[in-house]
Amino acid sequence: MRTVVEKLSHRGHEIVVVVPDISLQFKNFDKFTVKTFSVPYPEDFIESMIKDSSKEVFEERTVPQTIKTLYERVTNSTNWLLTSCKLFLQNETLIKYLEEAHFDVLLSDPAVPCGQIVAEYLSIPSVNFMRGTPFGMDEEASKSPSPPSYIPRLFTGYTDHMDFSQRVKNVVVRLLEYALCHMLYSPYAQVASEFLKRDVTSVDLFSRASIWLLRYDFVFEYPKPVMPNMVFIGGINCVNRKPLNQEFEKLVNSSGDHGFVVFSLGSMVSEIPMHKAMDIAEALRSIPQMVIWRYTGTAPSNLGENTHLVKWLPQNDLLAHPKARAFITHAGSHGIYEGICNAVPMVMLPLFGDQMDNAKRMESRGAGITLNVLDMTPEDLSNALTAVINNPSYKENIQRLSALHLDRPIHPLDLAVHWVEFVMRHKGAPHLRPAAHDLNWIQYHSIDVFAFLFAVLVTSLFISIKCCAFTYRCCCGRKSSRGKSKPKKE
Amino acid sequence: MRTVVEKLSHRGHEIVVVVPDISLQFKNFDKFTVKTFSVPYPEDFIESMIKDSSKEVFEERTVPQTIKTLYERVTNSTNWLLTSCKLFLQNETLIKYLEEAHFDVLLSDPAVPCGQIVAEYLSIPSVNFMRGTPFGMDEEASKSPSPPSYIPRLFTGYTDHMDFSQRVKNVVVRLLEYALCHMLYSPYAQVASEFLKRDVTSVDLFSRASIWLLRYDFVFEYPKPVMPNMVFIGGINCVNRKPLNQEFEKLVNSSGDHGFVVFSLGSMVSEIPMHKAMDIAEALRSIPQMVIWRYTGTAPSNLGENTHLVKWLPQNDLLAHPKARAFITHAGSHGIYEGICNAVPMVMLPLFGDQMDNAKRMESRGAGITLNVLDMTPEDLSNALTAVINNPSYKENIQRLSALHLDRPIHPLDLAVHWVEFVMRHKGAPHLRPAAHDLNWIQYHSIDVFAFLFAVLVTSLFISIKCCAFTYRCCCGRKSSRGKSKPKKE
């Protein structure tokens, strides 16, 4: 979101960023007015939470242990987010400041719908900036149909071509999501109802958005029904391409004809267990390409001469280099888009969240290979790298996707800025709001109408049958009574 | 479509236009290569067909007469279109020429899906350019959901807020449309199957389009689910704004402070019955504004001094003039967009086709007043004109719609050209094609999945009940047998 906010600031808009005082992302951020609210968590809370989850990925556990850990992690983070939200709303000074500032628009990622509560309180239009929300809340709130027959649900790892058993599981997951969605978001509805002093549902909070800026592009996502107030800005993060600094320029230039491989498991994973690091190092030393590996842990002893460990790397700029041959990634959506933008085939080691789905999507398009980081052997990794580098189909496929992705009438950043400013200029976008919002579930699906038509049909059939029966009785009854009376007469 | 084709030509693309030799629209068209095919109809066939239908509008008829006339008109025009299509496909010289030309894309209005048959034969991608197709074929072929609970069907005249009885009628109309759609398009499927020498359905013909260029804008259409391969270019016809020529410039400048009213019932209606023309003249002479009326018939004797009859008028350029106060229109979609572009409130006299729906849409947005041209009195018309000119709400509403419509990140013409060229560059847009095309109706709606889940549920319930009954019988059976045996012992 920062790219959009920076461009808005550059265009003369005054930006106020509201974050909890321990927030990691907005430190040293001097371009905007930053307003913070206190939360009773230690300053390194977020960092340590992230570190813990990244460590957990590599721990081998039984299924019950995995469920227990996952439950604890989800409970911890949802509790922390909900507490932060409550403390934000209870911060009278901050709320008063926001009230007096008379904003034109609120821009937020609605995964945590706290911003929506404030926007509702301040009666200002809002813009949702996101890739997706858990459990299909975005589809429900935007009234965007998503047939489970060809739209795979998140965490299933399916593609848009499912066999019967996959479609059954996909529908079951969709049904479960309704329950999970309610569990996850009903506390926010309660907080909102208390704060706004009227009944508010969680769907209300999400559906108030005038525009949905979605980090979507259909070279990556599966084509599906969308709504007129959805704007697709997938690949917006590939904007800021800068020349490489001297250190990296020197490094990549020394890679020779074989070129180099970019390797990063994202900012959330900084260390991995030594035995896994050694497996990876073993694989990397077996390929002729140079490898630039973002890794902050202790260097594995078997590190090849071709492998360079760095604490940080300019991922997008490196991928943009013509000598980039492959990209080893955890398949976060940001990294995937950088791979697509720069047409670099990928070896994907998904770790958690939506990464498995992302990896499956790229694999289904022939643009990369997915490996399970826990099970893979050094051979698996070196074979996968050799394949994506030497088998031309991977490069051709990612080049085709890249060409499709980059061939757009307007850059995603300009599009995002246009629509935020549109909402500011027109105080929302009510003409793009579907009337479906004014219908309940039964009305929306025309269940009342079909029930009525069915009742009419049944009644008509019943009356027709009765009439036929009556006519039949009249005619045949008379006949038979004549028949019966005849013998009497005889 | 001509604007897009002209711009494509201007950008260096070679354009071939294929039309029947009696075609009215492409006469004296020297910018493109025009290829014609012979049809056994007189040269003035189209003109006389249009003239006849426009005359019929003003004839007062009983309901059976109206149905008979409508049936004859539809049969005549569909027969002529189908015959033309067959003759096109039978024209071996023309087909051979098209085969040898190796086109990159076919651009057509798919209302008559003849172009689609040729595109399929030539194996070239196609782009659909349209506002809509009869009976919802576009929604079926693009796999775009269109819930009848809030999307009014064409010809119902409903808005997106329907009461129960309207929703019932809307659903019934939707169900009827399936049958009508099949009736209308199955002859083309037959023609296509014969020509392509394999089974082709009418949906296949429509759904092969890579991109749907839709003359849609949601200030006019009701927001509804759309698909990623739909591109919205509503208002594309407002592009060519030129300065007024001397005659019209002089005319409008003489209109004084009251300004002027633009009046046109479109190019299809050139004459109206004298009594109706006199009614209209009566109304027009009662307002202080000057009226510029496109009218080719005999001038009514009661024509006011403020009313100027012209054989033709530069509609968009006149509406763009700051002195334009109101627009009397038949509510064709072209005219409506010109009214919106130029923020001129409208008095709408819908005549046939989608015009009643168009008028209802604008009326529901408070941007105009709809009158029934057959029933209206001179007072109705003058009152409506006075209202839209003097009641500021109409002007405010149309200004609001206009501002929303014109505030777009890229002009519809550039957008259309981009997507046609996109299809040419990438030989289609397969990444935007939903996987729904590979599912049948039952699979798409997950009916097989729900039937399976229902069967599983029923079986589980049945087994559970049987188990419970068995357990109950075992326990209680033993008890009761014990109970029974006890007395024996006693």
Side-chain angles (χ1 to χ4, degrees):
Chain A
M1 202 188 297
R2 190 189 288 220
T3 327
V4 178
V5 177
E6 277 176 353
K7 179 120 188 197
L8 284 166
S9 166
H10 188 74
R11 287 171 63 85
H13 299 290
E14 204 184 316
I15 314 282
V16 174
V17 177
V18 180
V19 283
D21 54 3
I22 61 161
S23 180
L24 160 108
Q25 297 293 329
F26 278 91
K27 268 182 186 162
N28 312 319
F29 222 87
D30 50 2
K31 283 185 193 167
F32 319 130
T33 308
V34 177
K35 292 281 166 187
T36 58
F37 54 94
S38 286
V39 286
Y41 289 89
E43 203 169 312
D44 64 345
F45 178 76
I46 301 174
E47 285 95 327
S48 64
M49 197 161 61
I50 289 171
K51 214 173 239 178
D52 289 350
S53 2
S54 79
K55 258 188 201 158
E56 281 162 19
V57 172
F58 293 99
E59 284 168 13
E60 306 243 356
R61 277 189 240 91
T62 60
V63 174
Q65 278 174 330
T66 308
I67 293 174
K68 187 173 164 271
T69 319
L70 188 70
Y71 178 79
E72 280 171 6
R73 179 142 54 87
V74 170
T75 312
N76 272 348
S77 51
T78 49
N79 280 349
W80 130 251
L81 291 168
L82 186 64
T83 307
S84 301
C85 179
K86 284 179 184 167
L87 290 166
F88 173 16
L89 299 178
Q90 284 161 14
N91 189 322
E92 285 177 19
T93 324
L94 179 54
I95 295 292
K96 193 157 183 280
Y97 165 83
L98 296 177
E99 258 182 299
E100 284 165 2
H102 300 293
F103 292 102
D104 293 312
V105 68
L106 174 125
L107 182 63
S108 75
D109 184 330
V112 180
C114 206
Q116 309 295 318
I117 303 174
V118 178
E120 189 63 31
Y121 181 75
L122 302 177
S123 299
I124 52 171
S126 51
V127 171
N128 285 346
F129 183 104
M130 49 177 269
R131 183 178 166 217
T133 52
F135 313 126
M137 173 55 105
D138 48 331
E139 292 158 353
E140 200 178 337
S142 64
K143 302 292 174 196
S144 178
S146 187
S149 52
Y150 73 99
I151 309 299
R153 306 309 306 172
L154 216 63
F155 308 132
T156 57
Y158 297 154
T159 73
D160 56 352
H161 284 86
M162 292 174 267
D163 60 26
F164 180 73
S165 70
Q166 288 177 327
R167 286 198 292 115
V168 169
K169 284 180 213 155
N170 205 48
V171 165
V172 171
V173 170
R174 182 71 198 103
L175 295 174
L176 284 175
E177 282 182 336
Y178 285 112
L180 290 168
C181 192
H182 179 77
M183 268 172 64
L184 182 64
Y185 286 118
S186 62
Y188 288 95
Q190 206 181 326
V191 168
S193 301
E194 279 165 23
F195 185 69
L196 300 168
K197 294 185 178 57
R198 59 183 172 81
D199 275 349
V200 177
T201 68
S202 48
V203 174
D204 291 342
L205 292 178
F206 283 83
S207 68
R208 77 179 305 286
S210 300
I211 292 287
W212 298 70
L213 293 177
L214 294 173
R215 297 198 295 104
Y216 260 44
D217 189 286
F218 292 99
V219 301
F220 177 34
E221 310 286 347
Y222 297 121
K224 62 172 193 174
V226 298
M227 297 303 286
N229 61 349
M230 291 178 168
V231 176
F232 303 101
I233 54 163
I236 195 168
N237 53 310
C238 300
V239 176
N240 293 323
R241 189 179 293 175
K242 289 179 288 288
L244 290 172
N245 67 22
Q246 233 181 349
E247 177 201 348
F248 283 103
E249 188 65 45
K250 210 173 139 191
L251 201 60
V252 299
N253 281 338
S254 69
S255 68
D257 288 346
H258 283 297
F260 64 92
V261 171
V262 182
F263 180 9
S264 168
L265 296 181
S267 56
M268 284 177 78
V269 175
S270 45
E271 284 175 44
I272 52 181
M274 186 47 79
H275 71 278
K276 189 49 69 185
M278 287 185 71
D279 276 1
I280 291 173
E282 185 66 29
L284 299 180
R285 66 184 295 165
S286 73
I287 61 165
Q289 283 75 24
M290 172 199 281
V291 181
I292 308 174
W293 182 4
R294 181 192 179 281
Y295 185 66
T296 57
T298 316
S301 56
N302 61 339
L303 203 70
E305 278 188 7
N306 67 333
T307 311
H308 298 264
L309 299 188
V310 291
K311 299 264 182 240
W312 170 88
L313 52 77
Q315 187 169 283
N316 193 38
D317 309 332
L318 279 174
L319 290 171
H321 197 280
K323 282 191 173 187
R325 294 285 181 269
F327 178 27
I328 310 175
T329 170
H330 62 303
S333 65
H334 269 71
I336 294 273
Y337 275 114
E338 291 179 351
I340 294 173
C341 279
N342 300 300
V344 181
M346 302 172 220
V347 171
M348 292 163 290
L349 313 175
L351 302 172
F352 42 66
D354 59 353
Q355 296 164 6
M356 178 56 82
D357 291 273
N358 298 342
K360 276 284 154 195
R361 274 162 211 220
M362 293 316 287
E363 197 175 56
S364 77
R365 284 159 168 82
I369 293 173
T370 306
L371 294 175
N372 182 327
V373 75
L374 293 179
D375 299 342
M376 70 174 185
T377 63
E379 288 71 41
D380 290 338
L381 181 55
S382 69
N383 289 344
L385 278 170
T386 310
V388 302
I389 294 169
N390 298 328
N391 181 339
S393 77
Y394 291 99
K395 185 69 182 174
E396 281 162 20
N397 284 327
I398 193 81
Q399 275 177 330
R400 184 178 47 79
L401 293 182
S402 185
L404 292 169
H405 172 65
L406 297 175
D407 192 351
R408 49 204 173 198
I410 177 166
H411 194 283
L413 179 58
D414 296 323
L415 201 60
V417 167
H418 169 84
W419 283 106
V420 174
E421 290 185 341
F422 183 100
V423 170
M424 293 168 74
R425 278 192 287 270
H426 304 282
K427 305 188 191 309
H431 68 303
L432 299 179
R433 188 175 174 81
H437 287 292
D438 305 320
L439 299 175
N440 61 36
W441 190 85
I442 289 176
Q443 291 169 328
Y444 177 86
H445 292 284
S446 297
I447 292 169
D448 51 350
V449 170
F450 283 110
F452 172 77
L453 291 176
F454 183 73
V456 168
L457 189 75
V458 168
T459 313
S460 322
L461 268 176
F462 180 77
I463 293 173
S464 310
I465 290 168
K466 280 283 168 195
C467 287
C468 289
F470 180 73
T471 318
Y472 178 81
R473 249 182 298 151
C474 284
C475 302
C476 301
R478 214 175 295 153
K479 259 187 206 168
S480 71
S481 67
R482 252 185 257 149
K484 272 178 192 170
S485 61
K486 267 182 183 174
K488 272 186 184 175
K489 279 179 184 173
E490 278 167 2
Chain B
M1 201 188 296
R2 190 189 288 220
T3 328
V4 179
V5 177
E6 277 176 353
K7 180 121 186 197
L8 284 167
S9 166
H10 189 72
R11 286 171 65 84
H13 298 291
E14 204 184 316
I15 314 281
V16 174
V17 177
V18 180
V19 284
D21 54 3
I22 60 161
S23 180
L24 161 109
Q25 296 293 327
F26 277 91
K27 267 181 188 164
N28 312 320
F29 222 85
D30 51 1
K31 282 185 195 167
F32 320 129
T33 308
V34 177
K35 291 281 167 185
T36 58
F37 54 93
S38 288
V39 286
Y41 289 89
E43 206 169 312
D44 65 344
F45 177 76
I46 302 174
E47 285 95 327
S48 64
M49 196 160 64
I50 289 171
K51 213 172 241 180
D52 289 351
S53 5
S54 78
K55 258 188 201 159
E56 281 162 20
V57 171
F58 293 99
E59 284 167 14
E60 307 243 354
R61 277 189 241 91
T62 60
V63 174
Q65 279 174 329
T66 309
I67 293 174
K68 186 173 164 272
T69 320
L70 188 71
Y71 179 80
E72 280 171 3
R73 180 144 49 90
V74 170
T75 313
N76 273 348
S77 52
T78 49
N79 280 349
W80 130 249
L81 291 168
L82 186 65
T83 307
S84 301
C85 180
K86 283 180 184 167
L87 290 167
F88 173 17
L89 299 178
Q90 284 162 12
N91 190 322
E92 284 176 21
T93 323
L94 179 54
I95 295 291
K96 193 158 182 282
Y97 165 82
L98 297 176
E99 258 182 297
E100 284 165 3
H102 300 293
F103 292 102
D104 292 313
V105 69
L106 174 126
L107 181 63
S108 75
D109 184 330
V112 180
C114 206
Q116 309 296 319
I117 303 175
V118 177
E120 189 64 30
Y121 181 74
L122 302 177
S123 299
I124 53 171
S126 52
V127 171
N128 285 346
F129 183 103
M130 47 178 268
R131 182 177 167 220
T133 52
F135 313 127
M137 174 54 105
D138 49 330
E139 291 158 354
E140 200 178 338
S142 64
K143 302 291 172 193
S144 179
S146 186
S149 51
Y150 74 99
I151 309 300
R153 306 309 306 174
L154 216 63
F155 307 132
T156 57
Y158 297 154
T159 73
D160 57 350
H161 285 87
M162 292 173 267
D163 60 26
F164 181 73
S165 71
Q166 289 177 325
R167 287 197 291 114
V168 169
K169 283 180 214 153
N170 205 48
V171 166
V172 171
V173 170
R174 182 71 198 102
L175 295 175
L176 284 176
E177 282 181 336
Y178 285 113
L180 290 169
C181 193
H182 180 77
M183 267 172 62
L184 183 63
Y185 286 118
S186 62
Y188 288 94
Q190 205 181 327
V191 167
S193 301
E194 279 165 23
F195 185 70
L196 300 167
K197 294 186 178 58
R198 61 183 171 81
D199 275 350
V200 178
T201 68
S202 48
V203 174
D204 291 341
L205 292 178
F206 283 82
S207 68
R208 77 179 306 286
S210 300
I211 292 288
W212 297 70
L213 293 178
L214 295 173
R215 293 197 298 104
Y216 261 43
D217 189 286
F218 293 98
V219 300
F220 177 33
E221 310 286 347
Y222 298 122
K224 63 173 193 171
V226 296
M227 296 305 286
N229 60 350
M230 291 177 167
V231 176
F232 303 103
I233 53 163
I236 194 168
N237 52 309
C238 298
V239 177
N240 292 323
R241 190 179 294 176
K242 289 177 289 288
L244 290 172
N245 67 22
Q246 234 181 347
E247 177 201 347
F248 283 103
E249 187 65 46
K250 210 173 140 189
L251 201 62
V252 300
N253 281 340
S254 68
S255 67
D257 287 346
H258 283 297
F260 64 93
V261 171
V262 182
F263 180 10
S264 167
L265 295 181
S267 55
M268 283 176 78
V269 175
S270 44
E271 286 176 41
I272 52 181
M274 185 49 78
H275 72 276
K276 189 49 67 184
M278 288 187 71
D279 277 2
I280 291 173
E282 185 65 31
L284 298 181
R285 65 184 296 163
S286 73
I287 61 166
Q289 283 75 23
M290 171 198 282
V291 181
I292 308 174
W293 182 4
R294 180 193 178 283
Y295 186 66
T296 56
T298 316
S301 56
N302 60 340
L303 203 70
E305 276 188 9
N306 67 334
T307 311
H308 298 265
L309 299 187
V310 291
K311 298 264 179 244
W312 171 87
L313 53 76
Q315 186 169 283
N316 194 39
D317 309 332
L318 280 174
L319 291 171
H321 196 279
K323 284 192 172 186
R325 294 284 180 270
F327 178 27
I328 311 175
T329 170
H330 62 304
S333 65
H334 269 72
I336 294 272
Y337 275 115
E338 290 179 351
I340 295 172
C341 280
N342 300 301
V344 181
M346 303 172 220
V347 171
M348 292 162 290
L349 313 176
L351 302 174
F352 43 65
D354 60 352
Q355 296 164 7
M356 179 55 83
D357 291 275
N358 297 343
K360 275 284 154 196
R361 274 161 212 220
M362 292 317 287
E363 197 174 56
S364 76
R365 283 158 170 83
I369 293 174
T370 305
L371 294 176
N372 182 330
V373 76
L374 292 179
D375 299 343
M376 71 175 186
T377 63
E379 288 72 40
D380 291 338
L381 181 55
S382 70
N383 288 345
L385 278 170
T386 310
V388 301
I389 294 168
N390 298 329
N391 181 339
S393 79
Y394 291 99
K395 185 70 182 174
E396 282 161 20
N397 283 328
I398 192 81
Q399 275 177 330
R400 185 177 47 79
L401 293 182
S402 186
L404 292 169
H405 172 65
L406 296 174
D407 192 351
R408 50 204 171 197
I410 177 167
H411 194 282
L413 179 58
D414 296 324
L415 202 59
V417 166
H418 169 85
W419 283 106
V420 174
E421 291 185 340
F422 183 99
V423 170
M424 293 168 76
R425 278 192 288 269
H426 303 284
K427 304 188 190 314
H431 68 304
L432 299 179
R433 187 175 176 82
H437 287 291
D438 304 320
L439 299 174
N440 62 36
W441 191 85
I442 289 178
Q443 290 168 330
Y444 177 86
H445 292 283
S446 297
I447 291 169
D448 51 350
V449 170
F450 283 110
F452 172 77
L453 291 176
F454 182 73
V456 168
L457 189 76
V458 168
T459 314
S460 320
L461 269 175
F462 180 76
I463 293 173
S464 309
I465 291 168
K466 279 284 165 193
C467 285
C468 289
F470 180 75
T471 320
Y472 178 81
R473 247 183 297 153
C474 282
C475 301
C476 302
R478 217 175 290 155
K479 261 185 205 168
S480 70
S481 66
R482 255 185 252 147
K484 271 180 191 168
S485 63
K486 268 181 182 174
K488 271 188 184 175
K489 277 180 186 175
E490 277 165 2

